[in-house]
Amino acid sequence: MNTNSLVFEIMRGKWLMNFANVAEYEKLANKYISGQFVGQPLDRVAFRASYDNGNIGGGRMAGTTEEKVVGYLMMTGPMSTYGDMCTYGADDYLYALRKLNDNDKVSAIVVEMDGPGGAVAAINAFIEFKSEKRKPIVVLANDCYSLHYWIACLLADHVMAKGNISAGFGSLGATCILLDAREAMVKEGLKVMIINAPGSELKNQAMQDFYAGKDEEFKKRLQAELKPIRDAFVANVKTAFPEIASDPRIFAADNFTADEALKFKMIHSIGNEKKAFELARALGELQAA
């Protein structure tokens, strides 16, 4: 049985994501749910092969002739927990990180990020890898919001913005966006009934509240589910950046330019690909000394 992983994540509904254009995401989500494929299919087998048999993932600055090299991994776009034909998932990235981590030729890793975040459940793969991590990691980031920023805080020894023109950081929070079609359903003469087995009165309680018009109870229940996710996110950010500024916008999930993020000590530096690889190589040599 084939499972569309992205549809599964959309249906699950909890995201660590900066929704810059909710309307466009909604259109894409509806197409995926209805079985319409959007974009070009990804070759996940080829992606994983780029880390098998001692391969280091490419990257123009990675090097191939030195005794020790810098591994490279690129994370782009919204991230799902599991990859499928249209997106790489956290499982794919975990595979690559483990291969680089276990490759004796690799002294350090550059992870290049450009993404708005992704599914809440995707963070588990990176929490797992954190306990296995043996090599320095430099994160070079353009867009680095929500889930992507959380990953950077978990794994990176150094977070570097890729220039200060388009790079951005932040969106420290969890969200759930729901399309309210109740009025449209009434106009169509439709209604939803939820029937639970005896003794299962609290099953799907949030949706029971929603369709019963108990909006405040519905919101409170979802907020209670989202709060521990947000709290864990914030705790990891503070561990990674103990001197982070106290500006209330940071932990209220605002977004920041690279210059602002550096000023607020949300990142370590602003640089470019060459500087990221030079730093990774130096960190690898320092660890080996």
Side-chain angles (χ1 to χ4, degrees), residues 12-27:
R12 184 151 54 181
K14 293 188 180 71
W15 294 87
L16 294 157
M17 199 155 175
N18 177 44
F19 287 95
N21 193 333
V22 175
E24 293 305 313
Y25 280 116
E26 180 196 339
K27 291 176 186 177

Side-chain angles (χ1 to χ4, degrees), residues 31 38 41 95 128 145 149 185 199 284:
K31 286 183 178 181
V38 180
Y95 182 91
E128 183 176 350
Y145 296 111
Y149 186 63
M185 291 174 64

Side-chain angles (χ1 to χ4, degrees), residues 124-150:
N124 293 317
F126 303 99
I127 292 173
E128 183 176 350
F129 179 74
K130 180 177 174 61
S131 66
E132 306 170 12
K133 174 177 172 281
R134 297 184 291 108
K135 296 174 181 177
I137 292 179
V138 174
V139 165
L140 177 66
N142 188 40
D143 275 4
C144 190
Y145 296 111
S146 210
L147 175 69
H148 284 82
Y149 186 63
W150 193 350

Side-chain angles (χ1 to χ4, degrees), residues 231-254:
D231 290 348
F233 187 174
V234 168
N236 285 149
V237 171
K238 289 183 175 179
T239 298
F241 294 96
E243 297 182 2
I244 194 168
S246 58
D247 191 301
R249 294 177 298 158
I250 297 172
F251 298 107
D254 205 352

